[in-house]
Amino acid sequence: MSIFRSADNEYEEALIFKRSSASSMGRRGESPKTHIDVSHLQLGASPVTSNARPLGRALTYTVVAGDTLWKIATRQLGDGRKWAKIYEANKDKIKDPDFIHPGQVFRMPHA
């Protein structure tokens, strides 16, 4: 086989690929869309955990070093002044609202 014949074969293969790609293009020449089957997913289900609340608020919160009820209320409930709601929901675990400890797990009330 000559060099010219080899080049002709490669050119033909490129044309065939180009034609087959063009036939799978969309109406305006855009690439075909990739379709992903999502029929098994449930609307509103969280991919991370099934007990997460909307807007990313957790049902529970684990205290870390430096936390105060005010800081937790600000992050979890959107307003530090709601710290008393956390205290009320966790009176069985919080003896003094000024002293909470890393590792404590609190139930988060609705905002």
Side-chain angles (χ1 to χ4, degrees), residues 24-38:
S24 66
M25 297 292 246
R27 283 184 232 158
R28 296 186 193 133
E30 66 252 358
S31 298
K33 304 287 188 248
T34 302
H35 297 285
I36 300 172
D37 179 21
V38 294

Side-chain angles (χ1 to χ4, degrees), residues 69-71 73-74 77-86:
L69 290 178
W70 184 279
K71 287 180 184 178
T74 300
L77 305 178
D79 185 351
R81 294 173 293 182
K82 295 182 179 180
W83 69 268
K85 286 186 172 192
I86 298 172

